[in-house]
Amino acid sequence: MGIEEIREISDRLYEDVIKYKELMKPIEVVLIKGTKEEYDSIAKSMVDKKTLIKLNEKEYPNCYLYRSDRNDVARSEENTYICTKMKDEAGPTNNWVEEREMYEKLASMLSGIMEGKVMYVVPYLLGPANSQFSSYGVELTDNPYVVISQMVIANVGKDAIEGIRKGNYVLGIQATGTLDPSKKYIAHFPEKKLIITVNSAYGGNALLSKKGQALRIESYLARNKELLVEHMMAIEVINPDGKTYGITGAFPSSSGKTNLAMIEPPKDYKGWDARLLSDDIAWIKLIDGKLMATNPEYGFFGVVPGTNEKTNANALEVMKHDTIFTNVALDTKNNTPWWEGKTEKMPDSIEDWQGNRHFEGYAAHPNSRFTSPISQYPKLSKAYGSKTGLEVNAILFGGRRSTLVPLVYQAYSMEHGILIGAMLRAESTAATTGKIGVIKNDPMAMRPFCGYNMADYFDHWRKVLLNAKNKPLFFNVNWFRKGRDGAFLWPGFGENMRVIKWITERIDGKAEAIETPIGYVPSKESFDKGSISDGALEELLEIDRKGWIEELDAVKPFFDAFGERMPKWLWDEYYKLRDRLISW
Ligand code: OXD
Ligand code: MN
């Protein structure tokens, strides 16, 4: 078994598996075929070993709670590397170590690392089967939590094996090791189509199909294709006339991407609807000349705290069954998961995310997650799983900003739109390790995920868009602006549909807009503001000319760091914007 089955699939896979088996020395090799029996049996053996908690079967059928190591709770960008031959290939936004040097270092760390453990071989497909989007991966892991999570978020098994037979796949290795944070590496070798993670078993670092392959490696490979590989949500919006609009949006981690992907129109929006294509990653490809988006993933790995009927009823629906919760709290009386925001009052019988009865601060980790199949989403777009995807009509950018950035504004042109994406900055949150609340440059929300020099990435955007027959409009949105009193000006969540409506009307050339130096903003008459006051709307759309010039100054050193490689057309756009602000 095991090895023999692998030999039948492909020579390359057989050689890879033998090579790493000899290096890491597991006691056994197990090929995962993606069946329910495998999933159930791995979960059961984890429950028996007390590394997984089975939740209340009546209230949460087939759901589990997993508690990660206390030092392994978020993506760690400081330990994430792009390892190419030349430093310039990785660019100033990535940690870089020369490919060979890093490989040799990791190979010595991997030596014997799986002794006494099973090495699972997890073949997966990203994107719809047999389509222009299909891409393959194989993850070798010693961690059963990683296996069952991968089985949810990627298409593991038959469809994948069919493709892998041709030997064309990205190889990922995840070795749990000691989880010593000082020896943690998440290393990508895009030129070798290889990812190696050591000493982390947490989501984004360890589920290698997601950030590792579907973003970092695939973005690198996309340079030679008419393809944009993006950290984006994507929805299909339907208006009361039945007309549909494809909207994608790049939002840095925890800037409201999942909630927008799962939006429910407000009560007074009769006839409007929104259907989900993707909550986290979109691949946008020119198909027959048109920009078409797909979701390469098969499941969600979303942040839980704050989720309730009001904020995201659709996410609650998804996580009711067949879900792995990670690092949420446990209501021991009912054996059900709990998190801040689930109910107003915390139940008395709570164990925190690490299993402590007595604790200070939060009960669920702020970056606690749910892992559920996307098929459980109640309102999936028909484009999900289709070979051609969803036509893109608008591209949004949006970072969490408490000041300066208006609720919504529209770019004047495609190049201006790319500049807006390139200038994206957001206040940091709990999705990664590091300080919270600092403003960071995060172009197109891809800074942690772009597998090559971002100066080339900006140029790639333009090249693809120039060839597109459909020209999407670009917008920037910000749900997080605060008023002079320090309170949020915009209610967010379902109310964001009012902004989406204006965007669809801009696509149709209907809604009126006012020209400002930074772009078009809605005229008061054209925007349905819901229940907020006129004063709040004015503040939300206010353009602080001086503040914007400071914003441009703050972005400049970031752009400068790309040196000669930064496209000239992007600098031209930057200075055009600066001139508009100065002469306004
Ligand atoms: C994520 C992230 O986990 O962006 O999706 O951090
Ligand atoms: Mn993400």
Side-chain angles (χ1 to χ4, degrees):
M1 282 283 284
I3 295 281
E4 282 317 306
E5 289 172 298
I6 289 164
R7 190 200 284 269
E8 273 168 31
I9 298 174
S10 88
D11 290 346
R12 181 188 161 203
L13 185 61
Y14 180 72
E15 280 159 25
D16 279 341
V17 169
I18 292 292
K19 173 174 164 187
Y20 287 99
K21 177 178 182 279
E22 281 168 8
L23 179 63
M24 302 192 288
K25 304 208 169 23
I27 41 169
E28 198 189 337
V29 174
V30 171
L31 173 68
I32 297 291
K33 302 200 188 98
T35 64
K36 184 171 179 331
E37 290 70 32
E38 283 168 320
Y39 181 96
D40 291 345
S41 119
I42 295 174
K44 182 173 180 312
S45 76
M46 290 179 72
V47 171
D48 292 346
K49 291 193 184 108
K50 300 202 170 5
T51 53
L52 195 65
I53 295 169
K54 173 99 180 77
L55 295 170
N56 185 321
E57 183 58 26
K58 265 218 182 97
E59 277 184 61
Y60 283 90
N62 214 14
C63 288
Y64 298 95
L65 166 61
Y66 178 77
R67 289 174 177 154
S68 79
D69 184 87
R70 57 170 305 167
N71 293 315
D72 194 29
V73 292
R75 283 189 297 102
S76 44
E77 287 167 20
E78 65 282 14
N79 309 108
T80 301
Y81 295 85
I82 299 296
C83 306
T84 46
K85 288 192 189 75
M86 307 300 288
K87 186 170 190 324
D88 222 27
E89 272 297 284
T93 55
N94 284 309
N95 297 319
W96 175 83
V97 172
E98 195 274 326
E99 189 184 272
R100 242 191 124 77
E101 186 186 329
M102 181 62 106
Y103 188 80
E104 278 165 16
K105 182 189 181 82
L106 294 181
S108 79
M109 287 176 76
L110 291 178
S111 174
I113 201 167
M114 290 189 185
E115 269 172 23
K117 293 184 171 180
V118 173
M119 179 171 92
Y120 299 93
V121 178
V122 187
Y124 58 83
L125 160 68
L126 293 174
N130 304 315
S131 73
Q132 295 188 41
F133 291 109
S134 306
S135 193
Y136 302 90
V138 177
E139 180 161 349
L140 310 182
T141 170
D142 57 9
N143 197 301
Y145 165 71
V146 170
V147 176
I148 55 174
S149 302
Q150 276 298 164
M151 290 177 82
V152 178
I153 67 165
N155 184 355
V156 170
K158 205 166 96 324
D159 291 343
I161 291 172
E162 282 315 307
I164 290 167
R165 276 190 204 294
K166 299 185 190 101
N168 187 12
Y169 59 85
V170 171
L171 179 66
I173 292 151
Q174 183 274 332
T176 305
T178 58
L179 300 180
D180 176 348
S182 70
K183 299 193 178 114
K184 191 184 289 188
Y185 288 90
I186 300 102
H188 303 74
F189 302 85
E191 290 156 359
K192 300 260 179 297
K193 292 175 67 174
L194 173 69
I195 312 167
I196 302 180
T197 287
V198 197
N199 288 317
S200 176
Y202 166 78
N205 297 337
L207 308 178
L208 300 181
S209 68
K210 194 174 178 64
K211 305 299 188 183
Q213 177 170 348
L215 289 177
R216 298 194 187 99
I217 302 283
E218 298 290 347
S219 63
Y220 176 93
L221 299 172
R223 292 188 300 177
N224 303 322
K225 305 173 191 169
E226 290 186 308
L227 173 68
L228 299 173
V229 161
E230 301 302 328
H231 186 211
M232 282 185 172
M233 65 95 222
I235 49 175
E236 185 184 1
V237 172
I238 301 144
N239 78 5
D241 297 330
K243 186 163 178 202
T244 65
Y245 304 83
I247 299 182
T248 67
F251 297 79
S253 306
S254 312
S255 289
K257 188 155 40 102
T258 307
N259 288 335
L260 184 60
M262 300 184 175
I263 195 167
E264 265 308 311
K267 293 262 174 307
D268 56 320
Y269 267 47
K270 300 258 173 321
W272 285 88
D273 205 0
R275 302 196 151 258
L276 178 141
L277 173 64
S278 181
D279 67 314
D280 193 39
I281 298 177
W283 290 350
I284 305 173
K285 193 169 194 325
L286 281 188
I287 296 184
D288 296 332
K290 282 193 175 168
L291 284 169
M292 306 295 290
T294 200
N295 178 358
E297 301 198 276
Y298 282 65
F300 300 113
F301 178 68
V303 174
V304 182
T307 309
N308 57 47
E309 277 303 326
K310 273 205 203 120
T311 59
N312 194 338
N314 289 326
L316 270 194
E317 189 65 30
V318 167
M319 47 176 113
K320 265 189 189 154
H321 62 99
D322 297 273
T323 290
I324 306 166
F325 292 93
T326 303
N327 291 343
V328 297
L330 179 67
D331 178 349
T332 53
K333 189 156 150 246
N334 300 309
N335 196 26
T336 49
W338 191 83
W339 53 84
E340 276 73 12
K342 184 182 187 192
T343 50
E344 235 164 76
K345 209 175 142 281
M346 181 164 75
D348 295 331
S349 45
I350 283 285
E351 269 177 20
D352 78 351
W353 61 282
Q354 290 185 275
N356 300 314
R357 288 250 172 212
H358 303 285
F359 56 91
E360 274 173 35
Y362 45 77
H365 190 279
N367 192 35
S368 52
R369 301 278 177 149
F370 69 99
T371 307
S372 319
I374 200 164
S375 56
Q376 291 177 197
Y377 191 76
K379 296 163 67 179
L380 217 45
S381 160
K382 279 200 218 55
Y384 182 84
S386 98
K387 289 195 168 76
T388 46
L390 174 70
E391 184 177 337
V392 180
N393 305 115
I395 295 177
L396 319 188
F397 298 113
R400 175 184 283 268
R401 293 294 296 270
S402 39
T403 59
L404 189 72
V405 182
L407 176 64
V408 57
Y409 69 97
Q410 183 194 337
Y412 286 127
S413 64
M414 180 262 281
E415 278 89 355
H416 181 210
I418 299 177
L419 174 71
I420 293 173
M423 281 182 45
L424 192 60
R425 301 207 302 155
E427 288 154 23
S428 56
T429 65
T432 69
T433 51
K435 271 210 193 120
I436 293 180
V438 199
I439 300 186
K440 286 210 259 184
N441 284 97
D442 192 354
M444 279 82 169
M446 276 292 276
R447 182 187 184 149
F449 308 118
C450 187
Y452 64 107
N453 192 315
M454 286 198 102
D456 299 354
Y457 165 81
F458 302 141
D459 218 30
H460 180 66
W461 259 82
R462 182 163 174 271
K463 273 190 206 130
V464 174
L465 282 156
L466 279 175
N467 287 336
K469 277 194 230 149
N470 56 335
K471 300 288 182 207
L473 302 184
F474 287 84
F475 298 84
N476 195 89
V477 297
N478 176 25
W479 321 129
F480 302 96
R481 190 161 181 175
K482 289 181 179 165
R484 296 184 233 295
D485 60 357
F488 285 115
L489 287 163
W490 182 247
F493 304 107
E495 296 292 300
N496 295 342
M497 201 66 195
R498 301 184 195 278
V499 176
I500 299 290
K501 174 172 178 273
W502 185 77
I503 289 171
T504 62
E505 289 167 358
R506 288 298 292 167
I507 295 169
D508 289 340
K510 285 202 280 207
E512 197 184 283
I514 297 170
E515 280 185 33
T516 78
I518 64 165
Y520 296 111
V521 297
S523 68
K524 258 199 199 152
E525 297 67 36
S526 72
F527 185 69
D528 172 17
K529 68 181 177 45
S531 59
I532 66 160
S533 68
D534 283 338
L537 183 64
E538 244 163 60
E539 271 191 74
L540 272 168
L541 298 177
E542 194 175 76
I543 312 292
D544 165 9
R545 194 175 74 97
K546 201 165 144 276
W548 273 101
I549 295 175
E550 282 163 17
E551 179 79 0
L552 281 173
D553 290 343
V555 167
K556 188 163 179 299
F558 178 75
F559 279 9
D560 280 337
F562 294 97
E564 292 294 302
R565 217 151 161 151
M566 194 66 158
K568 189 183 163 298
W569 61 265
L570 196 58
W571 275 123
D572 290 346
E573 272 312 311
Y574 173 95
Y575 283 109
K576 272 200 257 171
L577 170 56
R578 204 183 157 85
D579 288 346
R580 287 199 299 269
L581 283 160
I582 288 170
S583 61
W584 198 37

